[in-house]
Amino acid sequence: MRFGPLALAECDGAILAHTVKLSADVFKKGRVLSAADVEALRAAGFTHAMAAKLEDGDVHEDAAANRVAEACAGTGVRAAAAFTGRANLISEVHGVALCEPDRINAVNAVDESITIATVPHYAVVRPRQMVATIKVIPFSAPKVAVEAAVRRAQAGVNNLVSVVPFRAQPVGLIQTWSEGTKESVLEKTTETIKARLVAYGSHLSHELRVPHNTQSVQG
């Protein structure tokens, strides 16, 4: 990738590195300059543009991020389309995120242009929550680096990032009480446990309250 001030004659298809304000328009950073854009810059008095020009062996940032994201996404996860070199992995279910730390480190070690960050391994996530992000830092990444990152992402038995959904389960609660225990304390405990179970998709199906026997058992 060539990066720097490019003569306008070289800018057709180049990626603009800085936002440029024209009298009747604004060309934002990251814009792929067309022939018409180049003529508009020329008409505005520009002779050069700060831009990136991809060469053979370069992969555009969005295409590179998409490829790595698709390679990382497992069950319960979808890869959102990349924008400005960033592709996010989004949870489709309420469950536990499984992220392979060693393989994530291996992907991050491929090339400084490609990075991946995730929520912690075993984190509880909800639908539509971002569980990982893949970022191509410059405007492109080397094709060999993208292919290496994909291979490392797919190297294990399981996908690099997935979400295992919670399964609804009936739960029983046993509370012991002693003399002087307030009924309100037991009720509060029950309500707290119910709320926690509902948060994970399960429910309290039965509760038993028994007095605490402080006498030792002789045998």
Side-chain angles (χ1 to χ4, degrees):
M1 178 178 68
R2 295 168 54 202
F3 181 83
L6 300 180
L8 290 185
E10 302 180 88
C11 284
D12 188 3
I15 305 169
L16 196 61
H18 300 292
T19 297
V20 175
K21 294 183 179 180
L22 305 178
S23 58
D25 204 350
V26 175
F27 292 172
K28 292 187 177 181
K29 172 185 176 182
R31 182 186 184 113
V32 178
L33 296 172
S34 65
D37 293 338
V38 173
E39 288 307 312
L41 290 170
R42 196 186 312 278
F46 289 88
T47 59
H48 293 73
M50 186 65 70
K53 188 82 170 183
L54 272 58
E55 300 177 301
D56 290 342
D58 289 331
V59 180
H60 185 273
E61 57 180 347
D62 287 345
N66 280 332
R67 287 189 61 188
V68 177
E70 291 291 347
C72 294
T75 57
V77 171
R78 66 175 177 84
F83 181 71
T84 63
R86 183 183 300 278
N88 296 327
L89 300 184
I90 309 298
S91 176
E92 296 185 308
V93 297
H94 183 203
V96 176
L98 302 182
C99 307
E100 301 285 341
D102 291 340
R103 286 163 58 202
I104 290 168
N105 290 337
V107 171
N108 280 327
V110 168
D111 190 273
E112 62 185 7
S113 65
I114 302 171
T115 64
I116 177 173
T118 72
V119 298
H121 193 37
Y122 297 137
V124 175
V125 297
R126 294 185 174 275
R128 297 180 296 281
Q129 180 178 338
M130 184 175 70
V131 294
T133 185
I134 293 85
K135 181 72 173 85
V136 174
I137 298 173
F139 290 111
S140 70
K143 182 179 179 181
V144 292
V146 175
E147 293 175 343
V150 168
R151 286 196 301 271
R152 292 190 182 186
Q154 296 176 330
V157 175
N158 301 313
N159 293 96
L160 192 64
V161 180
S162 59
V163 177
V164 179
F166 290 120
R167 293 184 298 175
Q169 299 286 348
V171 177
L173 172 63
I174 300 176
Q175 291 197 72
T176 59
W177 56 273
S178 57
E179 186 177 352
T181 300
K182 294 182 178 180
E183 186 69 18
S184 60
V185 172
L186 300 177
E187 291 296 335
K188 181 64 175 178
T189 300
T190 300
E191 293 306 313
T192 300
I193 295 298
K194 282 183 178 179
R196 290 180 178 177
L197 292 174
V198 168
Y200 294 106
S202 293
H203 65 280
L204 183 63
S205 64
H206 186 72
E207 180 183 0
L208 182 63
R209 297 178 182 178
V210 296
H212 176 63
N213 186 355
T214 58
Q215 295 181 352
S216 60
V217 177
Q218 303 293 329

